[in-house]
Amino acid sequence: MSNATPQPTRQIARQSTRTRVNQRRNEDINLAGPQPQRPRLDPHNTYYEPGYKQQNPWTQEEGQNSGFSLAGTFPHKVRWQKPHNSDRKVEIAEDEEKGEAEPAPQVSAANEQGDQQAPHGGEDSEDTAVDEDDCKFADEEVESQSSSGRSTPKKRRLDAFAPNHTPAGAVVERSDTKELPPSERPFNEWARLRIKFHRPLAEFLGALIFAFIGCGGDLAVVTSQQNAGTLYSTYWNWGFGIMFAIYVAGGGSGGFINPALTVMLSLFRGFPARRIPTYILAQVTGCFVGALLAVGIYLDHIYHLDGGLIPDSTGLYLYTQPKPWVSAATTFFTEFLGTAVLGCCILALGDSGNSPPGAGMHAFVIGLLVQVLVMSFGYTTHGCFNPARDLGPRLAAMAAGYPTSLFTASNNYWIWGAWGAPMCGALAGALMYDLCIFRGGESPVNFSYTRYKLEGRKGLRAWLRTLGRDKGAKESERKIEEGIAHERRHGSML
């Protein structure tokens, strides 16, 4: 008779799961890479909005980071119509005898993927034992309505899911309605204001750092007559400038720093369009302040070099402008193609289904990308590829005392060259990437004809309501409901 103490069932289940995973890993060694029949784990903590997996079966839900940021992969958004997600609902198990539920584990810790988590399908899908450490947890806020029509207080529910994405039950449900009185809250007025405007403030600060480093480096080279650096130094300045800008603003606003990329991500990835004006304003303002600071600390050197503020001398190292002998077509397509490469690569770096860099490396790689683009195409136009990078320093130069003729130079280049070409180029680069590579349902390239037709009817309904034509608006509403029902029946949610 053995005196050994038997191991707990939970530990045995964990060890058996790890053993099966290790055996499968040994069996799946292949020089051609991982086999396609098993889903891939996403190590980049990409957020998948509820319902996205139903529209895109090749994906799997891994992370909880739902914000757009150039410092990581982009979230996968369900655009336009939100589908019902009844298969993910979990009934709350209430036990009055047990009293209050125990505190729930931290969601961030529960989402970590370890060796004990088994892949989907295969032999493991038949196991009925669910280990708490093998579960994934979904933290969501629930707001219901009473019979009187009033909204009940929000409650936070933590649902658990097994490794094969089957519901494992509700862990805890608690109310979040209790608030501290204003006198006991830890925030002052500025802190509350910053919370409200944290995105434009972060974008402003990132753009300021970007322009300050870039313009400061350019002025150092030109005012020292290349004794403090060479033309290659300016390329590195702009590359590292955007890298540090993304590191600073990536967690707050996403660190776009570029109006062309902001519009591109809104059209092709579902970034909220209502934020575009404030983002662009913050980007241009940040570049304006950053360039103005650079001019301020180099103003003595500028006067020592030229004896005044000359646009064709030091001014060209603040904003962008093509060489006098270059045609307008060459100038336009230089900026167009350069920004197209930038937009295409940005989407590739943010695509969790491609080969994005590791954690914390996105900003560094984007900095190298900008440095390479400026080095390759900067000779013609000084390398803009960012409308805010031109308009902000151009306004700063005028504010510092440069003549206003800098806005009419090269046939108003700042309009068609610094703004028109990058805007069109970013959209063209995104279009090429989605046509050739991207498979997600949030891209307009992958929208079905039914989706386009449905959204057109929604736009028509809005205009009819604005014009006061209620009868036509009701007819459009009926067709919209029929289209949604058709999508749900036939599964055409792209």
Side-chain angles (χ1 to χ4, degrees):
M1 182 176 181
S2 174
N3 295 329
T5 303
Q7 290 181 321
T9 306
R10 179 176 174 179
Q11 185 175 359
I12 293 176
R14 184 185 297 111
Q15 290 179 349
S16 62
T17 303
R18 290 177 177 174
T19 302
R20 288 192 296 269
V21 173
N22 291 333
Q23 290 176 351
R24 182 172 289 104
R25 287 174 177 172
N26 293 333
E27 293 172 358
D28 289 347
I29 295 176
N30 193 318
L31 295 181
Q35 298 302 303
Q37 64 267 21
R38 291 192 176 92
R40 299 172 297 173
L41 297 179
D42 182 6
H44 304 284
N45 196 32
T46 306
Y47 171 79
Y48 294 83
E49 196 168 74
Y52 186 88
K53 184 182 176 184
Q54 283 73 14
Q55 296 184 6
N56 304 269
W58 57 273
T59 60
Q60 62 178 3
E61 299 184 11
E62 288 293 339
Q64 295 294 329
N65 182 15
S66 61
F68 281 86
S69 175
L70 297 191
T73 53
F74 301 134
H76 295 283
K77 292 288 188 178
V78 177
R79 303 184 67 180
W80 314 118
Q81 173 63 30
K82 304 286 185 179
H84 290 289
N85 195 21
S86 57
D87 60 327
R88 290 293 302 273
K89 292 181 180 178
V90 181
E91 296 293 335
I92 303 296
E94 298 182 356
D95 191 351
E96 297 180 356
E97 298 180 358
K98 293 184 180 180
E100 188 176 356
E102 297 180 359
Q106 295 294 328
V107 178
S108 58
N111 280 335
E112 294 179 357
Q113 302 294 334
D115 292 338
Q116 68 271 21
Q117 182 173 353
H120 307 285
E123 303 172 351
D124 300 336
S125 61
E126 300 177 358
D127 295 342
T128 57
V130 178
D131 189 358
E132 182 180 351
D133 291 343
D134 292 336
C135 290
K136 292 169 59 183
F137 299 92
D139 190 10
E140 56 178 305
E141 291 184 354
V142 181
E143 183 177 1
S144 59
Q145 290 188 348
S146 61
S147 58
S148 61
R150 297 181 179 179
S151 297
T152 59
K154 285 187 177 182
K155 293 184 178 180
R156 187 173 296 279
R157 188 179 66 208
L158 190 64
D159 295 338
F161 296 90
N164 59 356
H165 288 275
T166 59
V171 179
V172 70
E173 179 184 15
R174 63 181 178 84
S175 176
D176 282 341
T177 59
K178 186 176 180 181
E179 295 183 358
L180 292 175
S183 59
E184 298 181 10
R185 293 175 185 173
F187 300 110
N188 55 28
E189 292 298 329
W190 170 247
R192 285 192 287 270
L193 186 66
R194 184 180 61 241
I195 291 174
K196 185 177 181 180
F197 298 103
H198 71 281
R199 290 188 179 91
L201 286 174
E203 200 72 7
F204 165 80
L205 183 59
L208 187 154
I209 292 175
F210 166 63
F212 182 65
I213 294 177
C215 293
D218 284 3
L219 290 176
V221 172
V222 65
T223 56
S224 68
Q225 298 181 345
Q226 298 193 4
N227 290 323
T230 63
L231 189 61
Y232 294 100
S233 303
T234 64
Y235 303 149
W236 288 102
N237 288 335
W238 289 108
F240 280 106
I242 194 65
M243 179 190 72
F244 288 120
I246 295 174
Y247 277 128
V248 169
S253 63
F256 297 167
I257 320 296
N258 190 331
L261 297 182
T262 306
V263 174
M264 178 195 74
L265 290 175
S266 178
L267 291 178
F268 286 88
R269 291 298 180 269
F271 177 74
R274 66 182 183 275
R275 296 178 185 168
I276 293 179
T278 56
Y279 266 57
I280 294 179
L281 179 62
Q283 292 158 0
V284 174
T285 306
C287 288
F288 167 78
V289 176
L292 194 62
L293 292 175
V295 172
I297 63 175
Y298 278 99
L299 190 60
D300 294 339
H301 299 283
I302 293 174
Y303 275 97
H304 181 266
L305 176 67
D306 295 331
L309 302 176
I310 302 177
D312 292 335
S313 178
T314 54
L316 297 179
Y317 286 81
L318 289 173
Y319 47 87
T320 62
Q321 189 168 310
K323 296 293 188 295
W325 58 85
V326 179
S327 65
T330 301
T331 300
F332 180 87
F333 282 103
T334 297
E335 290 292 328
F336 177 89
L337 294 176
T339 314
V341 174
L342 176 64
C344 179
C345 292
I346 289 295
L347 292 186
L349 294 172
D351 186 1
S352 61
N354 206 321
S355 301
M361 292 296 294
H362 282 78
F364 179 73
V365 176
I366 292 174
L368 292 180
L369 171 63
V370 171
Q371 183 263 332
V372 169
L373 289 176
V374 176
M375 182 181 293
S376 300
F377 308 106
Y379 179 71
T380 301
T381 62
H382 203 67
C384 180
F385 317 124
N386 182 345
R389 176 258 180 275
D390 179 86
L391 182 58
R394 198 178 289 266
L395 291 172
M398 186 179 67
Y402 283 85
T404 57
S405 60
L406 56 89
F407 276 95
T408 59
S410 300
N411 297 320
N412 302 302
Y413 163 80
W414 72 276
I415 298 177
W416 57 269
W419 275 87
M423 285 291 186
C424 298
L427 299 181
L431 178 63
M432 290 303 300
Y433 181 81
D434 286 3
L435 284 173
C436 298
I437 296 177
F438 190 66
R439 299 176 291 172
E442 63 267 37
S443 173
V445 173
N446 299 326
F447 284 179
S448 65
Y449 172 75
T450 305
R451 168 63 63 80
Y452 279 112
K453 190 175 180 181
L454 181 62
E455 295 310 316
R457 288 173 177 171
K458 289 182 180 179
L460 177 61
R461 178 190 59 184
W463 277 106
L464 291 175
R465 287 178 176 175
T466 303
L467 297 175
R469 301 179 60 181
D470 296 334
K471 184 177 180 180
K474 290 181 180 179
E475 180 66 18
S476 298
E477 182 72 25
R478 183 186 63 81
K479 293 182 179 180
I480 290 172
E481 292 178 356
E482 291 177 355
I484 294 175
H486 179 272
E487 281 190 339
R488 289 173 182 167
R489 280 196 309 268
H490 298 278
S492 176
M493 297 302 298
L494 288 179

